[in-house]
Amino acid sequence: MTATVAVAHASARRTRGRWTRFVLRRARRLLISLWILVTASFLMIQLVPGDPVRAALGTSAPAELVAARREQLGLDEPLLDQYLTYLRDLFTGDLGESILTQLSVAETIGQRLLATLSLALPAFVVTFAFAVPAGVALAVATRQGRRRRTELTFVGTSIVLASIPEFVVCVALVAVFAVNLGLVPAAGRDGLDSYVLPVLALAVGPAAVLARIVRVEMLAVLDADYVRTARAKRLSALRINLRHALPNAVTATLTLSGLMLATMVAGTVLVENVFAWPGLGGTIVSSIQSRDYPLVQGAVLVYGAIALTVNTLVDVAIAAIDPRSMIGDS
Amino acid sequence: MRRRRPEVLRTPLGIVGITLLVILALLAVLAPLVWGDRATATHTDNMLAGPSPEHWAGTDNLGRDILFRTLVATRLSIVLTLAATIFGVGLGLLLGMAPLLLPRRLGRLVVAFVNVLLGFPSLLMVLFLAVILGVSTTSALLAIGIAIAPPFARLVYALGAGVAERDFVAAARIAGVHPLRIMVRHVLPNIAEPLVVNATVTASSVLLAFGGLSFLGIGVQAPQFDWGRLMQDGLAIIYDNPLAALAPGVAFVLTGLALNLTGEAAAGTFGAKSRIRTTRSLTERRSVSPRSNTRDADTDLVLDVRDLEIAFPGPYGPVSPVRGVSIALRAGEAVGIVGESGSGKSMTALAVAQLVEEPGRVTAERLTFCATDLRSGRRTAHDALLGTSLAVVFQDPMTSLNPVMRLGSQLGEAARRHQGLTRRQASARAADRLRAVHLSDPERRLRQYPHEFSGGMRQRAMIAMGLMGTPRLIVADEPTTALDMTVQRQVLDLLQEIRRKHGTALLLISHDVSVVSSICERVLVMYAGRIVEDLPAADLYTQARHPYTRALIGAVPEMTTDLDAPLATIAGQPVDPRHVPDGCAFAARCPRVTDRCRQEEPTLQAGPAGTVACWHVGDPLPAETKEVAVG
Amino acid sequence: MSRLDFEDVTVRYGHHTVLDGVSLTVPEHQIMGLVGESGSGKSTLARAAVGLAPLSRGRVLLDGRPVQSQGRRRPIQMVFQDPSSSLDPRMSIGRSIAEALPERLRRAPQRAEIARLLRLVHLDPDRAADPPARLSGGQRQRVAIARALAGRPTVVLADEITSALDVSVQGAILNLVREMQRDSGLTMLFISHNLAVVRYVATHVAVMAAGRIVEQGPTDRVFAAPATAYTRKLLASMPGGGPRPGP
């Protein structure tokens, strides 16, 4: 008895050790990626041809103002000093100030980011809530070439939906539901009603794409030897499909979902534009057009950091489902 | 020779996709030539008009015709999409192939670089570059190209590395073929299809990305216009004329559709040559003959199968890989089925285990397991019986266990369902069963995943899984083919031990005569879906009378084989179940063939040792062509 | 002259030592069998000889000289296990063979040479234009052997070339291997986990376990009077090799 317990502990230790190593490896990769992101966003402003401040303020701006802003941004100091200052400021949460409005970039982004996430997260949830059950159900129903008509209808519909760009969805939704029917507001962020169209616009395309991927993955898994083994054990169809097949099918889906969430946060740029949503996307676009570099720099940094963190979390989630994914990566 | 239509054009999706692509290409070429002037002509007297006979989609804020603007914008939209796609795909190809050509360390660096790039969403990259390069069409083009390169590079690398591992690439390297030439001649052609499919789908996302940038005002700049630009202009006047935004929107959808449909159809024709495999069992009563009553069956029989037939629908009528097979097994008896691949032996095993799936159909005059007629009732009716009394062991232990489930739950789940054990009881039973198959440290094993096991250990675990109940019959389909000789021996000994201890019957399928004869009492030889000989294993080497059986025996070298004589061979190819010849199926490969063999199919006839289906069992063998041994 | 010597060959992948100081001589004009369980390093040894596995230590010598691993002429050729992966599915079998020819020939002589090689492995020369998909597993292995011979090697390494084939086809390939060796006096390293197969084709045999050679010698001597417990265990695991368990 004691021997068994001791062995069990040893095994648990081994497993824990592997997990720790895996999470550490992933954390290291995240840190390296974040460092590259930070450096890239720092260099961005340096790589702008000509004088960024002059470009931002325009040719008519007085020379003293340009000089003042250059001084303020520290652009006249040596490159390395600028870099170190940038890093130090970053750790204190200081992303600099807008060239045009002189407002704190960190504050502006903080407010806008909340609005953006309030669109992206619900859209992400809606996408998954629809795509995974739909993909699984269709795979089970259409495997081995059954129900060809259902299959064709699904594939056709999902391709059509996936082919519609989100800004077209937006415009179409606005035209139908807001302009013609007047059911929901056409733009702005005001109450729950105002979330319906933007969230829908964000979710339609990804949901169609994801449902197709889930179905294809699931079809492949349903043909696997271990599913045949499960059938040989005469388990219920529910257990075979959900316990044996699904976890094997979703690892590939999850890999994609990380990218998808990142894309969704970015995709809000277009959706926010249509719905006049006070989010980060609109801020980025307007700051690119007005060449307000510190603001773009901050936004790129925040977007990138979110995307990289999400990807890392997804990797860890996959490892929890499929322990094989922990081995073989260095 | 009939002329073949390209595969892509054989599916409805493909036809629609290609047709749309052709129309778009024509529009891209012709529209600016024909309607270029009308698209840019301003009519200040007719601004923001709704649809009318002159302007089907109305006009914009300068009175320009929206329909013509949309049509003319086809060229710029498509040219930009193609240019960015080609640039990005080319860059991706370079980045993806580089690690395969560069020295290892350098290659790894490239892979790591691509992995980091993959972490950044592409729109972010586009924005980043738009800042540095300034807002212009060229910078948008470069930015999108660079943004799509990393995912494409990863695909190229993953596929390419897969091909580069294959033996023909190793053979080319050994033959001294230059690495670059290997890449061009061997690797790229073998990954071209998925790459083309992916490039098509990528093109559709490039279309959207470019449209998106123009829509945001950081892509195509006025006075040039593409669909994205038109959408943005249209959105501004959506309350005056919704069609102004919807017309370019429709153009986007149709183009995206054309690319996606073509890609999907191409992927379908290239990739999914779907294998027909197990689904659910579908056993039917064939003809209710008076004999097919379980009452008069030998109650001693664990398994009684008569006249088993399996059919799959084929394009030219049903295909029957198994035709009229009868097997009877008593408790504790071990029967082996041997034959080449395609002889129907594995299919027979699947049918016995009730694992032949739709669209396959199993019919039999009798199909009785433990005195229960498996043909009766719903397909789930016999789950409890089969789940506890029938164990199945498959060929490849590497793929037959679920990689994402701990061994404990894989072993315990059937017992919990069929025997009503609690989780704790099932786990205790599982540990006990692992001990029974001589796996050390069973409690720890239960918490492990299959990838932590060796092949032999997995096969033991599979057998332990079958022992969770009290099996009356073990169906083992090539259980040792994927294993080493030493491990093979251990697994066979284990099966033997179970049989002796519990009186379990064993149906062992193998292509190797020596494996079957070493543990079975009776051997069934299958050829082209039929049993051609049935004889005691002890008599196999001395009394086998069918020419096929004798050739199978002679082809396998044993530790006692005569080293001076060549091994027996069987000329020709096995029978394709889609074209089973009249007469004896083995006739074409048989040294003793006569006209009678080609016309009449022999049936199983009893002889001194077992039964055999051959017209020439009595005849002496023709003089074998002996190779002259070189001294 | 075509003697293949492995001298203290060591191959490591990371911290994992696959081959641990292997010294082995494949005598000229003989077939040497190499047996052992999977993971014992048999295939790695063959791959090391043709430069597919990096040596951490030691060297491989052909007639006392390091093996040439640059240029078109390669005196050591190899035949692989899996017939479904040993030929490029996009290339006709004739072109696959042509690629291994050491010098570029004009069209007609090249075609004649391919026909000669196909005939050598008992395949119809008219099939040179066929893609591998039209060939059975056994026929593909024949093509793979022809391709190896195309490089006019003095040594051929055969890595489990029959274990993926049906037994009925295995016999024909083994006959072919013996015939080749007898007619051309090739030196061969014949890797297999099946002792009866090795006994049938090889005059000498080496037994590998855990990256080391544990025993070697003439086949009849090693199999009749094995010197190590490991070899005895391998022999006992052959069907019919030990006491036959009764029902």
Side-chain angles (χ1 to χ4, degrees):
Chain A
M1 192 60 203
T2 23
T4 329
V5 173
V7 166
H9 280 205
S11 155
R13 250 200 319 277
R14 244 193 306 271
T15 315
R16 257 204 305 277
R18 207 170 39 217
W19 256 103
T20 318
R21 276 201 305 279
F22 172 75
V23 172
L24 282 178
R25 270 204 310 269
R26 277 299 125 99
R28 195 180 61 193
R29 187 191 277 188
L30 175 63
L31 284 179
I32 293 174
S33 301
L34 283 175
W35 173 72
I36 293 175
L37 176 73
V38 167
T39 310
S41 76
F42 165 75
L43 287 177
M44 188 164 76
I45 212 165
Q46 312 287 337
L47 288 172
V48 173
D51 180 352
V53 176
R54 174 56 77 188
L57 296 178
T59 42
S60 57
E64 306 89 70
L65 183 62
V66 173
R69 288 289 155 84
R70 281 191 67 85
E71 162 97 51
Q72 195 182 356
L73 287 169
L75 285 174
D76 298 322
E77 289 166 41
L79 197 61
L80 189 66
D81 287 358
Q82 285 188 48
Y83 185 50
L84 292 177
T85 312
Y86 182 70
L87 285 183
R88 201 186 53 224
D89 288 351
L90 206 58
F91 276 105
T92 56
D94 180 4
L95 293 175
E97 281 156 17
S98 156
I99 295 186
L100 297 178
T101 62
Q102 297 217 272
L103 289 172
S104 154
V105 169
E107 235 168 77
T108 314
I109 289 179
Q111 291 161 3
R112 296 303 180 100
L113 183 64
L114 218 61
T116 292
L117 287 180
S118 71
L119 279 191
L121 289 179
F124 187 68
V125 171
V126 168
T127 299
F128 261 72
F130 168 79
V132 173
V136 167
L138 273 150
V140 172
T142 61
R143 58 187 296 254
Q144 311 259 325
R146 293 183 218 158
R147 300 201 183 85
R148 294 309 288 263
R149 218 167 289 165
T150 313
E151 187 186 3
L152 203 67
T153 314
F154 168 73
V155 172
T157 315
S158 63
I159 291 178
V160 173
L161 288 180
S163 305
I164 308 177
E166 58 246 301
F167 52 92
V168 174
V169 177
C170 294
V171 173
L173 286 174
V174 169
V176 176
F177 291 100
V179 178
N180 280 354
L181 300 177
L183 286 178
V184 281
R189 184 189 182 200
D190 184 23
L192 271 181
D193 286 2
S194 60
Y195 280 79
V196 175
L197 290 187
V199 167
L200 211 58
L202 266 178
V204 168
V209 172
L210 200 65
R212 258 165 78 200
I213 291 167
V214 170
R215 174 175 163 269
V216 170
E217 290 293 326
M218 190 75 181
L219 278 178
V221 168
L222 284 173
D223 259 352
D225 283 350
Y226 50 82
V227 172
R228 185 179 58 182
T229 306
R231 288 205 179 89
K233 283 190 272 187
R234 319 288 155 183
L235 303 175
S236 64
L238 204 64
R239 188 170 174 90
I240 292 174
N241 290 328
L242 296 188
R243 183 73 183 85
H244 281 265
L246 186 60
N248 283 290
V250 293
T251 47
T253 315
L254 270 179
T255 314
L256 224 106
S257 71
L259 283 173
M260 202 160 257
L261 181 60
T263 315
M264 239 173 221
V265 173
T268 53
V269 173
L270 295 160
V271 176
E272 284 167 13
N273 186 294
V274 176
F275 290 99
W277 197 264
L280 194 50
T283 313
I284 293 187
V285 171
S286 61
S287 58
I288 287 180
Q289 281 165 334
S290 59
R291 299 167 198 255
D292 194 345
Y293 298 112
L295 200 51
V296 184
Q297 199 179 27
V300 162
L301 197 61
V302 169
Y303 260 151
I306 292 177
L308 292 172
T309 313
V310 167
N311 277 343
T312 306
L313 291 180
V314 165
D315 276 354
V316 174
I318 289 172
I321 294 176
D322 185 353
R324 282 173 310 171
S325 71
M326 271 190 276
I327 24 177
D329 73 8
S330 50
Chain B
M1 289 285 282
R2 71 200 160 87
R3 285 187 45 193
R4 278 170 21 128
R5 265 196 300 170
E7 297 264 347
V8 178
L9 284 178
R10 289 189 200 171
T11 62
L13 295 183
I15 294 170
V16 175
I18 297 273
T19 314
L20 280 173
L21 277 185
V22 170
I23 294 173
L24 283 167
L26 286 176
L27 269 181
V29 175
L30 299 177
L33 301 177
V34 183
W35 301 304
D37 298 336
R38 297 177 66 175
T40 47
T42 51
H43 300 277
T44 40
D45 53 332
N46 192 16
M47 292 188 298
L48 296 176
S52 64
E54 298 101 81
H55 305 288
W56 290 359
T59 58
D60 68 2
N61 49 4
L62 289 175
R64 294 175 295 200
D65 185 290
I66 283 164
L67 178 65
F68 287 128
R69 284 180 77 75
T70 306
L71 290 175
V72 169
T74 307
R75 180 185 282 180
L76 189 60
S77 300
I78 290 200
V79 164
L80 289 177
T81 299
L82 284 183
T85 307
I86 290 170
F87 172 59
V89 163
L91 199 62
L93 265 178
L94 281 181
L95 277 175
M97 288 186 331
L100 299 170
L101 290 169
L102 292 171
R104 263 168 42 137
R105 269 164 199 283
L106 215 56
R108 271 203 206 143
L109 211 65
V110 176
V111 174
F113 175 65
V114 169
N115 275 340
V116 169
L117 285 187
L118 271 171
F120 298 94
S122 47
L123 200 68
L124 190 68
M125 224 150 0
V126 171
L127 295 176
F128 183 80
L129 286 165
V131 168
I132 295 175
L133 302 174
V135 174
S136 76
T137 309
T138 324
S139 78
L141 195 152
L142 287 178
I144 290 176
I146 292 172
I148 62 170
F152 201 78
R154 181 168 66 170
L155 184 74
V156 171
Y157 174 67
L159 292 172
V163 173
E165 263 174 27
R166 300 189 60 184
D167 291 340
F168 61 82
V169 172
R173 282 170 66 186
I174 295 170
V177 181
H178 192 271
L180 212 58
R181 192 177 160 82
I182 291 182
M183 183 59 70
V184 175
R185 290 281 298 272
H186 291 289
V187 178
L188 282 182
N190 280 296
I191 61 175
E193 287 172 356
L195 291 187
V196 168
V197 170
N198 195 275
T200 318
V201 177
T202 302
S204 90
S205 61
V206 167
L207 175 83
L208 302 196
F210 229 116
L213 288 188
S214 297
F215 181 73
L216 292 174
I218 48 182
V220 170
Q221 301 297 309
Q224 284 189 304
F225 55 97
D226 67 347
W227 292 329
R229 186 98 222 152
L230 291 181
M231 287 268 337
Q232 177 66 329
D233 297 347
L235 184 66
I237 55 170
I238 192 163
Y239 286 95
D240 300 302
N241 180 12
L243 274 179
L246 289 181
V250 169
F252 266 119
V253 175
L254 285 181
T255 313
L257 209 54
L259 291 166
N260 277 330
L261 284 176
T262 311
E264 180 80 12
T269 41
F270 290 154
K273 267 140 201 161
S274 64
R275 298 162 297 160
I276 298 219
R277 269 273 295 276
T278 58
T279 312
R280 65 183 154 118
S281 101
L282 205 125
T283 315
E284 291 189 352
R285 197 172 290 263
R286 185 199 210 173
S287 55
V288 188
S289 67
R291 292 191 300 127
S292 71
N293 187 326
T294 34
R295 277 198 180 281
D296 68 14
D298 186 342
T299 46
D300 225 22
L301 291 180
V302 173
L303 177 73
D304 190 2
V305 179
R306 284 198 204 151
D307 219 357
L308 178 77
E309 187 135 0
I310 305 172
F312 287 90
Y316 310 106
V319 176
S320 298
V322 173
R323 307 173 294 142
V325 164
S326 300
I327 306 170
L329 262 98
R330 282 164 207 290
E333 191 180 19
V335 169
I337 304 183
V338 293
E340 289 170 281
S341 351
S343 61
K345 53 188 195 312
S346 289
M347 203 50 88
T348 305
L350 286 180
V352 166
Q354 295 283 291
L355 289 171
V356 173
E357 287 71 18
E358 210 184 336
R361 289 186 166 244
V362 177
T363 51
E365 192 184 307
R366 175 176 291 172
L367 187 49
T368 307
F369 175 65
C370 293
T372 305
D373 187 354
L374 295 181
R375 298 171 307 166
S376 66
R378 300 184 48 216
R379 69 190 165 90
T380 51
H382 307 295
D383 274 3
L385 172 71
L386 293 169
T388 52
S389 305
L390 177 75
V392 191
V393 182
F394 296 108
Q395 171 171 354
D396 191 349
M398 297 294 170
T399 56
S400 294
L401 289 169
N402 194 328
V404 307
M405 283 174 78
R406 291 177 200 274
L407 196 63
S409 34
Q410 297 197 53
L411 250 66
E413 56 185 350
R416 290 175 63 198
R417 173 168 158 89
H418 302 302
Q419 301 166 47
L421 301 190
T422 63
R423 189 182 291 268
R424 189 181 293 267
Q425 287 169 328
S427 168
R429 170 98 180 145
D432 178 63
R433 297 293 82 189
L434 286 184
R435 210 168 283 121
V437 297
H438 310 300
L439 274 182
S440 60
D441 202 356
E443 281 80 9
R444 179 164 69 90
R445 302 274 180 228
L446 289 180
R447 275 186 302 276
Q448 289 185 320
Y449 289 95
H451 71 264
E452 299 173 63
F453 287 55
S454 73
M457 280 156 67
R458 290 187 206 195
Q459 202 60 306
R460 282 167 193 278
M462 276 297 287
I463 295 173
M465 196 183 284
L467 295 181
M468 287 297 288
T470 42
R472 305 281 316 276
L473 172 66
I474 298 177
V475 175
D477 184 7
E478 304 266 14
T480 62
T481 308
L483 304 175
D484 264 321
M485 279 288 176
T486 42
V487 184
Q488 161 172 307
R489 184 51 178 264
Q490 291 159 9
V491 169
L492 292 179
D493 286 350
L494 175 63
L495 288 173
Q496 203 66 318
E497 179 190 324
I498 292 163
R499 202 154 72 84
R500 267 202 303 270
K501 266 193 197 154
H502 309 287
T504 311
L506 172 67
L507 185 64
L508 176 71
I509 318 294
S510 179
H511 69 289
D512 191 339
V513 186
S514 57
V515 165
V516 165
S517 66
S518 72
I519 73 165
C520 292
E521 281 126 31
R522 222 148 43 81
V523 177
L524 307 176
V525 182
M526 276 189 83
Y527 188 78
R530 283 201 191 286
I531 292 177
V532 295
E533 186 155 18
D534 172 353
L535 79 173
D539 297 333
L540 185 64
Y541 289 90
T542 51
Q543 301 282 318
R545 289 174 300 161
H546 199 286
Y548 180 64
T549 315
R550 300 183 68 103
L552 275 186
I553 295 166
V556 184
E558 307 264 333
M559 293 309 277
T560 51
T561 303
D562 178 9
L563 292 182
D564 295 324
L567 295 168
T569 56
I570 308 173
Q573 300 292 316
V575 170
D576 182 343
R578 283 169 298 182
H579 310 285
V580 179
D582 292 333
C584 177
F586 189 60
R589 310 170 74 185
C590 185
R592 293 195 223 171
V593 63
T594 58
D595 282 345
R596 186 183 185 192
C597 302
R598 295 197 187 90
Q599 283 145 17
E600 278 179 78
E601 185 165 17
T603 52
L604 282 170
Q605 299 294 330
T611 56
V612 62
C614 178
W615 294 125
H616 300 289
V617 278
D619 308 355
L621 274 171
E624 274 184 63
T625 44
K626 265 236 159 124
E627 244 175 333
V628 184
V630 175
Chain C
M1 294 293 281
S2 49
R3 198 185 68 193
L4 184 65
D5 289 295
F6 294 89
E7 279 184 7
D8 192 27
V9 168
T10 299
V11 172
R12 282 198 196 93
Y13 290 113
H15 298 294
H16 183 53
T17 304
V18 186
L19 290 180
D20 187 7
V22 171
S23 293
L24 179 70
T25 296
V26 183
E28 58 181 309
H29 310 316
Q30 303 282 340
I31 299 184
M32 174 164 241
L34 185 59
V35 297
E37 291 177 276
S38 51
S40 61
K42 299 180 305 247
S43 295
T44 310
L45 188 63
R47 297 175 84 86
V50 288
L52 292 178
L55 299 189
S56 311
R57 202 176 65 218
R59 51 189 189 156
V60 183
L61 301 174
L62 183 62
D63 294 329
R65 282 190 300 277
V67 179
Q68 185 187 351
S69 62
Q70 297 288 320
R72 297 281 303 171
R73 191 172 289 276
R74 304 289 179 94
I76 304 181
Q77 290 288 335
M78 188 161 169
V79 184
F80 297 89
Q81 171 173 2
D82 183 2
S84 65
S85 124
S86 65
L87 296 174
D88 188 337
R90 304 274 149 173
M91 244 184 211
S92 75
I93 58 174
R95 276 179 64 195
S96 277
I97 295 173
E99 197 176 59
L101 291 171
E103 63 272 320
R104 292 203 190 290
L105 297 172
R106 285 172 176 283
R107 188 178 284 250
Q110 190 185 64
R111 202 180 306 148
E113 177 66 3
I114 291 168
R116 182 187 74 83
L117 288 161
L118 285 175
R119 265 194 297 271
L120 209 59
V121 295
H122 306 306
L123 281 176
D124 183 355
D126 292 343
R127 304 198 67 168
D130 281 3
R134 288 225 198 113
L135 272 59
S136 69
Q139 289 171 331
R140 284 185 215 174
Q141 283 307 58
R142 286 171 193 275
V143 175
I145 293 172
R147 177 182 53 195
L149 296 176
R152 263 174 257 137
T154 49
V155 177
V156 170
L157 312 169
D159 187 6
E160 298 272 11
I161 57 171
T162 62
S163 54
L165 301 176
D166 249 319
V167 282
S168 55
V169 186
Q170 165 178 294
I173 297 289
L174 294 179
N175 288 344
L176 178 67
V177 165
R178 297 215 314 178
E179 186 188 316
M180 300 275 98
Q181 200 276 330
R182 207 172 46 211
D183 295 350
S184 58
L186 278 176
T187 302
M188 254 184 123
L189 184 66
F190 188 95
I191 298 170
S192 175
H193 68 284
N194 187 329
L195 273 62
V197 165
V198 166
R199 173 185 167 275
Y200 187 69
V201 298
T203 49
H204 291 70
V205 66
V207 184
M208 265 192 108
R212 294 164 189 265
I213 304 280
V214 297
E215 182 167 4
Q216 58 175 307
T219 312
D220 45 4
R221 205 273 297 151
V222 171
F223 286 178
T228 61
Y230 184 73
T231 313
R232 277 195 289 278
K233 181 180 136 199
L234 283 184
L235 283 165
S237 66
M238 289 297 297
R244 178 184 267 207

